Amino acid sequence: MTKPVIFCDFDGTITNSDNIIAVMKKYAPPEWEAIKDDILGQNVSIQEGVGRLFSLLPSSSKDTIIHYLTESAVIRDGFKEFVAFTKKNDVTLYIVSGGIDFFVYPLLNGLVEPEQIYCNGSDFSGETIKILWPHSCDDGCQNGCGCCKPSLIRRLASPGDYNIVIGDSITDLQAAKLADHVIARDFLLEKCQQLDLPHTSFTTFYDVIDVVSKQLEVKQP
Ligand SMILES: [Mg+2]
Ligand SMILES: [Zn+2]
């Protein structure tokens, strides 16, 4: 019996907005804008750009940042129920995030087990924050993703799995191309439409529960 394996993005998908952008807007010196534009313009890889962004922040700001995000970040409606749904139906759920461990884990605390979470790491031993890359691109990807979602799918998925990717942005696109089904919003939704990838749109995680329920019915005659 094939069961879905779900690869779910974090920023802009589980949370309503992007946490790295929120942190930079609040705490980074103005230079951060040029780095962001270089990332969006694909002049630098995400890995290089995100590394540079956090190097603008002193390591001593760690607790302030965590506090700010746990106070301000909003988890999308239905996420808690969605996690319960995956447990009840024995569906494997992985969180694959280009976010950084020191805020991703606290924001998902009590919602998702740490073993299900794949994101970037951090080192606060120097003057400024250094980002670590435990899940960087494998030989099949040359994009400098930082946290490489296609590489994680290749590593975590087994032959015959029904892979579902949930996401919102350009950073989910290569993973979406490897998926059997995509559940998308915002930019990723437009891309799925343009490229004719099998997909459904979502606004809340109640929508996601509906989609995956239907997949389970199809998968389990
Ligand atoms: Mg995202
Ligand atoms: Zn990659």
Side-chain angles (χ1 to χ4, degrees):
M1 182 164 54
T2 311
K3 285 216 171 169
V5 176
I6 299 176
F7 296 87
C8 184
D9 173 49
F10 181 67
D11 283 271
T13 298
I14 296 174
T15 58
N16 277 342
S17 51
D18 189 288
N19 294 292
I20 294 180
I21 298 291
V23 167
M24 295 303 148
K25 271 189 184 158
K26 179 91 175 158
Y27 297 109
E31 302 94 278
W32 85 272
E33 298 256 14
I35 302 172
K36 178 201 68 182
D37 292 342
D38 272 345
I39 299 173
L40 295 178
Q42 294 176 295
N43 299 321
V44 300
S45 68
I46 292 174
Q47 181 165 355
E48 188 181 340
V50 170
R52 279 203 227 157
L53 284 174
F54 279 92
S55 75
L56 298 172
L57 303 174
S59 293
S60 58
S61 59
K62 180 186 178 186
D63 291 341
T64 311
I65 292 171
I66 295 171
H67 181 75
Y68 169 63
L69 288 178
T70 48
E71 291 289 305
S72 62
V74 179
I75 302 288
R76 193 173 296 278
D77 282 350
F79 183 69
K80 195 177 164 201
E81 291 79 1
F82 167 67
V83 175
F85 165 86
T86 60
K87 278 186 191 153
K88 183 166 169 260
N89 290 283
D90 202 18
V91 170
T92 304
L93 170 64
Y94 297 114
I95 310 303
V96 288
S97 169
I100 321 298
D101 60 353
F102 76 101
F103 65 79
V104 173
Y105 286 93
L107 289 174
L108 288 175
N109 185 31
L111 289 167
V112 180
E113 301 302 321
E115 305 78 55
Q116 295 171 267
I117 301 170
Y118 294 80
C119 63
N120 297 313
S122 50
D123 177 353
F124 297 89
S125 63
E127 265 302 284
T128 60
I129 302 175
K130 187 180 172 202
I131 303 303
L132 308 174
W133 315 99
H135 311 296
S136 51
C137 303
D138 64 16
D139 292 341
C141 182
Q142 274 78 44
N143 288 329
C145 301
C147 180
C148 184
K149 298 182 186 194
S151 300
L152 281 168
I153 293 182
R154 283 191 280 272
R155 206 178 99 205
L156 296 169
S158 308
D161 282 350
Y162 188 84
N163 297 315
I164 297 176
V165 165
I166 309 174
D168 71 306
S169 82
I170 181 79
T171 57
D172 302 303
L173 182 57
Q174 296 311 316
K177 287 179 183 171
L178 298 178
D180 295 296
H181 194 86
V182 186
I183 305 175
R185 57 178 294 277
D186 204 49
F187 178 86
L188 186 65
L189 177 60
E190 285 171 37
K191 277 288 164 190
C192 287
Q193 289 160 346
Q194 274 172 24
L195 300 172
D196 210 14
L197 301 175
H199 71 279
T200 317
S201 70
F202 80 105
T203 305
T204 71
F205 275 91
Y206 296 111
D207 304 331
V208 176
I209 293 172
D210 282 347
V211 177
V212 180
S213 298
K214 291 197 181 97
Q215 303 285 358
L216 285 171
E217 284 162 27
V218 175
K219 296 287 133 205
Q220 297 171 20

